Amino acid sequence: MKEINLLSLIQAYKNLDESLYKKYIEYLKITPKKQELKDIECLIKTLQSIDCNIALYDNYFLGYTIPQISKEFDLLRFGENYNVNIELKSKNIGEERIKKQLSKNKYYLDFLNKKIFNFTFLSDENKFYKVDSNSNLIEVKFTELIKVLKNQKLEKTLDINSKFTPSSYLVSPFNSTNKFIKSEYFLTLQQEDFKKKALNIINKNGTSFLSICGKAGTGKTLLIFDIAKECINQNIKTLTVHCGGLNEGHNKLIRNQGWKIIPIKSIKYQDCSIYDLIIIDEAQRIRISQLNSIINQIRENNGTCIFSYDMTQCLTKKEIDNNIDEYLTKKTEHQKFNLTNKVRTNREIAHFTTGLFNKAKFLSKIEISNVQINYFENLEDAVNFIKVLKLNNWKVINYTPSTVHTHPYEKFSLTEEDNTHQVIGQEFDNVVAVIDSHFYYKNTGELSTKNYIDKPYYLTNKMLYQIMTRARKKLNIVIIDNKEVMEQCLSILKPNLHESSFVE
């Protein structure tokens, strides 16, 4: 997307023939709607009646959408001293909706760490509005807007996407619990749509089963916890069941907010009949006997149950064989919501992860700067390096140890660090993933493991996937004595060979 001059755009729209105009907007990489163009023309005419300075209309981004979260801005103008956002409306949509949109825009633009001027222009009224410091919607004189535009020290922006990091906008109930409690976040359009439909079902009488599924980074956890918060505020008795151990975020919601959250192992002691809504998080890990018990109690009490799961996050063969998604389809008439828009997932890390786990998949070459590779032949050196990464604020996640056998990956585990089961549903900015000599590629191209004296109960390749998909911003792959995996990593990162290092 290129910066545009609004006056130039309108004159091109009104004077070029259709085919030439189409080529022009393709060059600008924009797709303006006819009503937007009418609104912009109205805006320009009003400003020109006061000030004819053509620079007022320069350096705008039109219709920019933040990747992955579908948040769109009508007009954005970046400056060294402050940024300007103008939303275009053909008619008055109501004070509350205008305030909500301006507040939402401020939330997203605040991450740029600059002062923001947010305005809404109503073309039918030919008026500008803003939200003041007391959260009141007030009218703005055109002279004030002109002053803001003239005093802005324009910043040349070559790549607008570089300003926005989609993962920054996803608040985790576990890792950003205070922000979650204070509702300092917004849902994506898809999440809002699913939430509205889920609440409609919950508020109806009768037994209901819902499933919210999606891969890592699509915002399942935030959505189901937001639904839980909304229901609790409506005095709907809500029980949240986590299919794993509770983390600090869970405990904070229990202690400070009075939420009822239990680990799945405690479900057999729980009287589910007293709850209107039961939410099962990480349901791909639930046992069939536990699931059947919950389904039966929901039916007996005409309650509602929401299952949240990701079938790619199964950690044992038993969990894979149980196939909760298929089982729910057979045993319940569940309404399924499939989250598809990845918010937390870093595009580069996701691209790398796909190529690492299946070398047979064709991947287009992209620049990957958020993945680092370090090779060690010596285990002791690798462990010392991992300790250094920990000191430099990298999150080290151990493979979950066996309660029966000692497995090779325990040799490079760090004491007191979380294991894969303890970080389920959580996210971290910078994550370390260790790959040792037991990993290899099958003839199908899939990444697997071999040569364990005692076969691990928890699938090592699945644990690696769990570790890697916890990363929000950066991933550091530490390879120990595995040239096959090293070669595959470098083939994915070919444009960035300088990022890799070898240590003998």
Side-chain angles (χ1 to χ4, degrees):
M1 178 177 283
K2 297 181 183 294
E3 292 174 317
I4 64 170
N5 183 287
L6 298 180
L7 186 59
S8 170
L9 176 66
I10 296 303
Q11 291 190 7
Y13 170 64
K14 298 188 72 175
N15 296 284
L16 298 179
D17 62 55
E18 186 176 347
S19 63
L20 190 55
Y21 170 71
K22 185 178 180 181
K23 289 179 180 178
Y24 181 53
I25 62 173
E26 286 175 353
Y27 157 74
L28 295 174
K29 298 180 180 179
I30 59 174
T31 54
K33 302 179 181 71
K34 287 185 178 181
Q35 186 58 55
E36 286 177 326
L37 294 168
K38 291 179 181 179
D39 295 338
I40 292 171
E41 184 179 8
C42 181
L43 169 62
I44 290 172
K45 285 181 178 179
T46 306
L47 293 180
Q48 283 180 327
S49 68
I50 302 171
D51 195 315
C52 295
N53 188 346
I54 196 172
L56 293 175
Y57 318 114
D58 208 20
N59 295 89
Y60 290 87
F61 286 94
L62 172 62
Y64 174 72
T65 300
I66 300 177
Q68 300 175 221
I69 64 174
S70 304
K71 172 56 190 166
E72 183 178 359
F73 302 91
D74 288 342
L75 293 174
L76 281 177
R77 197 175 193 237
F78 298 103
E80 296 176 3
N81 49 344
Y82 52 77
N83 298 321
V84 177
N85 164 230
I86 302 174
E87 291 302 308
L88 304 169
K89 302 295 177 191
S90 60
K91 59 183 179 180
N92 198 323
I93 59 173
E95 181 176 324
E96 287 305 314
R97 287 179 65 187
I98 292 174
K99 283 172 59 176
K100 182 178 179 180
Q101 184 180 38
L102 289 176
S103 299
K104 200 169 186 178
N105 288 6
K106 184 179 184 303
Y107 168 79
Y108 287 110
L109 294 173
D110 271 341
F111 283 83
L112 302 181
N113 296 316
K114 282 186 182 175
K115 186 177 180 180
I116 308 159
F117 287 92
N118 286 321
F119 302 100
T120 293
F121 175 63
L122 302 182
S123 63
D124 65 335
E125 299 179 7
N126 204 28
K127 292 180 180 179
F128 264 94
Y129 292 91
K130 71 176 183 180
V131 176
D132 66 13
S133 57
N134 295 318
S135 298
N136 297 315
L137 189 69
I138 60 172
E139 186 177 347
V140 178
K141 293 181 179 179
F142 278 86
T143 51
E144 179 181 339
L145 172 66
I146 290 172
K147 183 178 179 181
V148 168
L149 296 176
K150 279 189 169 182
N151 291 335
Q152 188 179 23
K153 297 177 182 177
L154 293 177
E155 174 185 287
K156 189 63 179 176
T157 305
L158 297 177
D159 180 14
I160 187 172
N161 285 334
S162 65
K163 288 184 169 291
F164 296 91
T165 305
S167 60
S168 299
Y169 305 114
L170 182 64
V171 168
S172 166
F174 305 150
N175 302 99
S176 315
T177 312
N178 289 335
K179 285 187 175 182
F180 172 76
I181 291 171
K182 296 176 183 177
S183 296
E184 294 178 357
Y185 61 89
F186 288 98
L187 301 180
T188 65
L189 292 178
Q190 188 180 46
Q191 287 172 322
E192 285 181 346
D193 178 50
F194 289 175
K195 175 184 175 180
K196 182 179 179 180
K197 291 175 179 176
L199 289 175
N200 285 338
I201 294 171
I202 292 167
N203 286 314
K204 292 179 180 177
N205 293 326
T207 301
S208 300
F209 295 97
L210 294 81
S211 294
I212 295 175
C213 50
K215 292 185 178 180
T218 53
K220 296 183 301 297
T221 302
L222 177 60
L223 176 56
I224 61 170
F225 273 73
D226 182 77
I227 290 172
K229 182 165 64 172
E230 181 78 21
C231 290
I232 291 169
N233 290 338
Q234 293 181 18
N235 295 319
I236 296 172
K237 294 180 180 179
T238 303
L239 170 67
T240 302
V241 181
H242 182 68
C243 296
L246 301 190
N247 56 50
E248 182 53 33
H250 286 127
N251 293 327
K252 188 174 287 188
L253 290 171
I254 295 169
R255 290 193 309 266
N256 301 346
Q257 302 299 306
W259 283 39
K260 181 64 177 179
I261 306 174
I262 63 171
I264 187 62
K265 65 182 181 181
S266 301
I267 194 69
K268 59 185 175 182
Y269 308 112
Q270 182 64 53
D271 178 9
C272 295
S273 66
I274 64 174
Y275 295 99
D276 306 308
L277 171 65
I278 298 177
I279 297 175
I280 313 295
D281 191 18
E282 303 293 342
Q284 74 275 0
R285 303 197 60 241
I286 196 171
R287 295 176 181 173
I288 295 298
S289 59
Q290 295 168 329
L291 180 57
N292 286 333
S293 175
I294 292 170
I295 290 173
N296 290 336
Q297 291 186 71
I298 291 292
R299 285 182 171 142
E300 288 172 7
N301 299 290
N302 290 322
T304 300
C305 188
I306 299 177
F307 301 95
S308 173
Y309 54 87
D310 173 8
M311 294 309 299
T312 67
Q313 298 283 346
C314 294
L315 296 175
T316 68
K317 187 177 183 302
K318 184 68 173 176
E319 291 171 5
I320 295 172
D321 292 342
N322 284 342
N323 197 338
I324 294 303
D325 184 55
E326 187 177 289
Y327 192 85
L328 286 172
T329 301
K330 290 179 179 178
K331 297 294 182 179
T332 69
E333 295 180 356
H334 68 132
Q335 186 163 346
K336 188 173 178 180
F337 301 109
N338 188 20
L339 286 166
T340 56
N341 299 329
K342 291 191 175 184
V343 184
R344 170 169 56 80
T345 305
N346 181 293
R347 177 173 174 264
E348 294 179 13
I349 294 176
H351 185 89
F352 175 83
T353 302
T354 298
L356 177 66
F357 278 85
N358 195 332
K359 65 190 301 184
K361 286 192 175 182
F362 174 78
L363 294 177
S364 57
K365 292 294 182 182
I366 66 169
E367 282 289 326
I368 300 179
S369 59
N370 295 324
V371 178
Q372 299 177 33
I373 307 294
N374 294 279
Y375 183 88
F376 294 86
E377 195 74 19
N378 181 276
L379 175 64
E380 184 179 353
D381 290 335
V383 172
N384 288 332
F385 179 70
I386 295 167
K387 290 178 180 178
V388 171
L389 290 177
K390 177 187 174 182
L391 293 175
N392 285 285
N393 298 317
W394 286 83
K395 176 64 179 178
V396 178
I397 303 173
N398 295 327
Y399 291 86
T400 303
S402 169
T403 58
V404 179
H405 305 291
T406 300
H407 296 301
Y409 50 72
E410 294 181 49
K411 294 179 181 178
F412 49 79
S413 294
L414 297 191
T415 306
E416 298 182 358
E417 288 302 299
D418 292 328
N419 62 47
T420 51
H421 284 68
Q422 293 169 322
V423 298
I424 289 174
Q426 298 189 65
E427 58 192 47
F428 308 93
D429 284 347
N430 308 314
V431 171
V432 178
V434 185
I435 300 174
D436 67 5
S437 59
H438 291 272
F439 284 86
Y440 81 106
Y441 286 101
K442 299 192 289 188
N443 292 334
T444 58
E446 295 173 293
L447 184 66
S448 188
T449 54
K450 62 181 180 180
N451 297 336
Y452 288 113
I453 296 175
D454 299 298
K455 189 175 181 179
Y457 176 70
Y458 300 117
L459 301 174
T460 318
N461 58 332
K462 291 292 186 178
M463 288 195 285
L464 175 63
Y465 184 78
Q466 171 75 204
I467 292 169
M468 292 175 63
T469 54
R470 298 308 94 204
R472 282 162 38 109
K473 295 182 179 179
K474 291 186 177 182
L475 186 63
N476 200 315
I477 304 293
V478 177
I479 300 174
I480 304 174
D481 187 24
N482 195 322
K483 296 175 178 62
E484 182 184 19
V485 170
M486 182 66 174
E487 184 174 359
Q488 176 61 10
C489 288
L490 293 178
S491 73
I492 304 169
L493 299 175
K494 193 173 182 180
N496 293 321
L497 287 179
H498 60 279
E499 292 287 331
S500 305
S501 60
F502 295 81
V503 178
E504 292 292 341

